[in-house]
Amino acid sequence: MPPSTTPETCFVYLLRHGATDNNLAKPPRLQGKTVDGPLSAEGRRQAELAAQGLQHQQLDAVFCSPLRRAQETAEIVARPHRLDVQVVPQISEVDVGAWEGRTWEEIERSEPELYRQFMDDPARHGYRDGESLTDVRDRVVPVLDQLLRDNQGKRIAVIAHNVVNRVYLATAAKLPLAQARSLAQENCGINVLRFRAGEIKLISMNSVLHLW
């Protein structure tokens, strides 16, 4: 059964986009806001499965990041509901700066001190020449909170990104921001959050049963 929605309640299905070639590389390569490639064949399959998982839920609106991988996923999710996708520029993926396109192994070898600082506290020490998790929180959380307030009485889907979702989920769960990287966000995993009476509650996180 879909969650019951009152005029004061908004339910949001928050998804990470489907996989790209960078996500599937072994090891994966960092992919921030300046790499804007399409979904891979596997990513399109994941998006189709996510769409099937949500097709029997009432969806009133679908929002996404402006990056191609998020827009392609959103279009697939929106199709069964005959909805147009609405782009929200502020929920683009984190700016990973000079580490764009590199692997964590390469970064650890070439920049061990910056790598250690980031791993110890990414809320304070960001991606080199890019954003910290605090920067992402300050950019993303107010916009998503407002989206929920503006859609009370509705169920919406938001397709964003690994770091964006982790930061928002950590904030909703009142976790220290430095712990956000410990939250799993699989490609096309589904998180469910409820906004009611000014409060956001995390209902479920990173559901992937629809991908099996």
Side-chain angles (χ1 to χ4, degrees):
M1 290 289 291
S4 177
T5 304
T6 67
E8 300 80 25
T9 303
C10 175
F11 282 95
V12 56
Y13 301 96
L14 177 65
L15 284 72
R16 184 184 179 192
H17 61 79
T20 66
D21 288 340
N22 280 331
N23 297 143
L24 298 174
K26 298 188 182 300
R29 293 193 170 273
L30 273 66
Q31 181 177 245
K33 66 190 301 182
T34 61
V35 168
D36 197 16
L39 295 178
S40 64
E42 173 63 11
R44 289 190 293 274
R45 186 189 74 86
Q46 292 167 338
E48 293 286 357
L49 291 172
Q52 292 173 26
L54 292 172
Q55 68 180 340
H56 298 301
Q57 305 298 321
Q58 174 190 329
L59 280 186
D60 299 295
V62 177
F63 302 89
C64 73
S65 152
L67 293 177
R68 182 176 176 183
R69 55 194 184 269
Q71 290 197 55
E72 288 183 356
T73 304
E75 288 165 1
I76 293 170
V77 168
R79 191 177 301 140
H81 306 274
R82 299 182 180 179
L83 294 170
D84 292 327
V85 173
Q86 303 178 58
V87 173
V88 183
Q90 296 93 332
I91 63 171
S92 185
E93 181 60 306
V94 63
D95 183 352
V96 301
W99 293 348
E100 187 80 83
R102 303 180 67 192
T103 69
W104 285 119
E105 290 82 354
E106 292 169 355
I107 295 163
E108 184 179 16
R109 286 196 304 269
S110 63
E111 303 173 60
E113 181 60 20
L114 292 177
Y115 173 87
R116 182 193 63 77
Q117 289 177 353
F118 177 86
M119 291 298 172
D120 286 347
D121 190 356
R124 283 188 59 202
H125 302 287
Y127 299 81
R128 181 163 70 84
D129 300 331
E131 291 180 300
S132 69
L133 298 196
T134 300
D135 295 328
V136 176
R137 180 195 63 195
D138 293 346
R139 167 167 62 85
V140 167
V141 170
V143 172
L144 287 181
D145 283 354
Q146 187 62 50
L147 203 61
L148 271 62
R149 284 191 291 269
D150 291 344
N151 285 278
Q152 292 179 73
K154 298 179 180 179
R155 301 185 186 93
I156 65 175
V158 176
I159 290 78
H161 300 272
N162 189 26
V163 176
V164 168
N165 290 6
R166 285 170 162 178
V167 165
Y168 193 70
L169 293 168
T171 303
K174 298 179 171 59
L175 294 174
L177 195 54
Q179 295 181 17
R181 294 191 73 254
S182 68
L183 303 179
Q185 286 295 283
E186 302 296 330
N187 290 110
C188 282
I190 300 175
N191 311 282
V192 182
L193 300 101
R194 183 190 70 201
F195 174 84
R196 185 167 65 194
E199 296 290 331
I200 297 172
K201 181 177 181 180
L202 177 58
I203 304 298
S204 64
M205 185 169 64
N206 197 40
S207 174
V208 294
L209 290 176
H210 56 285
L211 300 176
W212 294 2

